[in-house]
Amino acid sequence: MKPPPFDYQLADSVSQALDLYARSEGDALWLAGGHSIVPSLALRLQAPSLLIDISRLPELMGITLTEEGLRIGALATHAQILSDPLVRTHAPLLSEAAAHVAHPAIRNRATFGGNLVLADPASEFPAVVRCLDAVFDIVGPEGARQVGVEDFFLDLFTTALEPGEILRSVLIPPAPASLRCGFDELARRHGDFAMVGAAVWLVVAEGVTTEARICFHSVGPTPMRATLVEEALRGRPLAADEINAAQAVLGNDLDPADDVTLPGATRLHLARVLLGRILHRLAGQTAMETAA
Amino acid sequence: MTQTLQLKINGSDLRLDLDDPRATLLDVLRERLGLTGTKKGCDRGQCGACTVLIDGRRVNACLALALSHDGAQITTIEGLARGEDLHPVQAAFIADDGFQCGFCTPGQIMSAVALIAEAEAGLDPERIREGMSGNLCRCAAYAGITEAVLDATRALALEEERAA
């Protein structure tokens, strides 16, 4: 066994979990699917004295439709996100992206909430929930609080979640009428982390884009909104000339750094190709039916 | 602190005392129970050699902290054959040369059993390759593996038909 020594305790309720954390004096980590923590412990990147297992907390489970939108429990697995009919109907961007997240065996155990709080900039779900304007339902020693996605992803592997807080669920607001959305990514091998990926969320009324949210992953320290591209699309027809113009301004939104795998300029080029590909696909698509 | 773990492994109920919570399910299978069919490859969820079924679904045992799976039903490669008769997926891997060195094979077979049960790929080779993409084969026996999954899918469908 390679990890540094730790104790393990299974929590039966959120309040018990918070209590265990308080007693550890901050020297504990939450364990849900364990698909990031177990390897990071084996690599000795972290050394908590206690793992608090929150993988059986009913308060963190379930996918339900409420008046405020679709509420997804933090313990939903990637496999559930991929196959759940409510997600498919009310947040199709998430189902579409889930097919690109890791491989089937990983999806069966890794959790949606765990993925979001890790905030890996190469991961798909953070970019998608930013596109969907999600709200994070967080509980901690001071009680519950709600954090909007624009205030959640702060930096590389850094979120607004404070030590000792638990992400309970994520709320996806209702999809508007005339929504068109698409996700795609470029990866060397299907299921591997992408070189670049994009989530596009558009409201298109009578051929004209009225609202746009576009978010990329693997191009910066956090999921990156392309606000200038959104501006270039808004109020204009969704057609070839406008798509070209949107692709042209992407370089003002994104400035990916060079790294060992790719030069930044290549990554930007790939992002532009991907943006064009998704927008052309959406231009050819009639407005999807929404049950909202 | 010793903690107790109950598992049902290949149909047998087991009660284990763990004096170290760091053990993964893979460690327990190999080191405690002598079920060495499940292989330790990368030990970080990248290769799929340790794939087992937990409550019927494929999972990488190297990423599964054992204590977190108290009460689970586990199926390993040792639990597939029915007496002397190989499971149809095992038989298909032999018939189609779905391996060379064999190290990744138990994980490939467990993953294939789950893939066929998930009924998402059917007889589409591209979807089978995608569904098996979490299992690496450094000998690159991928062509034989895809054939084996196709043949096993047909064999299991036939078996089901006959049973009906």
Side-chain angles (χ1 to χ4, degrees), chain A residues 120-124 126-128 130-131 183-185 195-200 213-227 229-230 246-247 250-251 253-254 256 267-276 278-279:
Chain A
D120 187 324
S123 186
E124 292 83 356
V128 174
R130 196 160 178 210
C131 235
F183 177 89
D184 209 347
E185 69 176 35
M195 295 181 279
V196 59
V200 177
R213 289 191 214 128
I214 295 172
C215 195
F216 287 84
H217 63 91
S218 289
V219 292
T222 63
M224 305 292 281
R225 273 287 280 275
T227 49
V229 171
E230 294 171 4
Q247 284 177 288
L250 185 62
D253 273 319
L254 304 180
R267 221 179 269 274
L268 177 62
H269 171 76
L270 295 176
R272 197 171 270 139
V273 169
L274 205 54
L275 176 67
I278 300 172
L279 288 176

Side-chain angles (χ1 to χ4, degrees), chain A residues 122-190:
Chain A
S123 186
E124 292 83 356
F125 288 145
V128 174
V129 297
R130 196 160 178 210
C131 235
L132 294 174
D133 203 26
V135 179
F136 291 75
D137 168 43
I138 292 167
V139 63
E142 313 294 325
R145 66 185 180 114
Q146 317 292 312
V147 176
V149 69
E150 293 303 313
D151 301 316
F152 187 76
F153 296 108
L154 302 179
D155 203 347
L156 195 71
F157 296 106
T158 309
T159 71
L161 200 74
E162 298 286 344
E165 287 187 319
I166 299 173
L167 175 65
R168 211 159 36 179
S169 66
V170 175
L171 180 74
I172 310 291
S178 312
L179 176 67
R180 298 187 197 188
C181 56
F183 177 89
D184 209 347
E185 69 176 35
L186 295 167
R188 287 198 166 84
R189 185 177 63 127
H190 190 106

Side-chain angles (χ1 to χ4, degrees), chain A residues 1 18 21 35 38 45 53 96 113 161 164 184 224 233 244 251 257 270 290:
Chain A
M1 277 171 288
L18 295 174
Y21 188 90
H35 275 37
V38 173
L45 298 175
D53 189 342
E96 206 180 336
L161 200 74
D184 209 347
M224 305 292 281
L233 290 169
N244 287 341
L270 295 176
T290 60

Side-chain angles (χ1 to χ4, degrees), chain A residues 1-8 31 33-35 38-39 43 51 53 55-56 79 103-106 108-109 189-190, chain B residues 1 3 20-24 27 43-45 57-60 62-63 65 67-70 118 130-131 133-134 136:
Chain A
M1 277 171 288
K2 297 178 287 188
F6 55 77
D7 286 329
Y8 165 93
L31 174 73
H35 275 37
V38 173
L43 292 167
L51 282 191
D53 189 342
S55 69
R56 302 191 189 207
H103 302 282
I106 305 277
N108 278 337
R109 181 70 183 166
R189 185 177 63 127
H190 190 106
Chain B
M1 179 177 57
Q3 282 162 303
D20 192 327
R22 292 180 292 175
T24 63
D27 295 325
D43 207 18
R44 59 174 80 167
R57 308 182 67 107
R58 47 182 161 161
V59 170
N60 289 344
C62 75
L63 295 181
L65 201 68
L67 282 170
S68 193
H69 290 274
D70 189 29
E118 288 157 17
E130 187 184 321
S133 61
L136 299 186

Side-chain angles (χ1 to χ4, degrees), chain A residues 90-111:
Chain A
H90 300 279
L93 254 186
L94 271 179
S95 325
E96 206 180 336
H100 295 271
V101 183
H103 302 282
I106 305 277
R107 286 184 214 140
N108 278 337
R109 181 70 183 166
T111 67

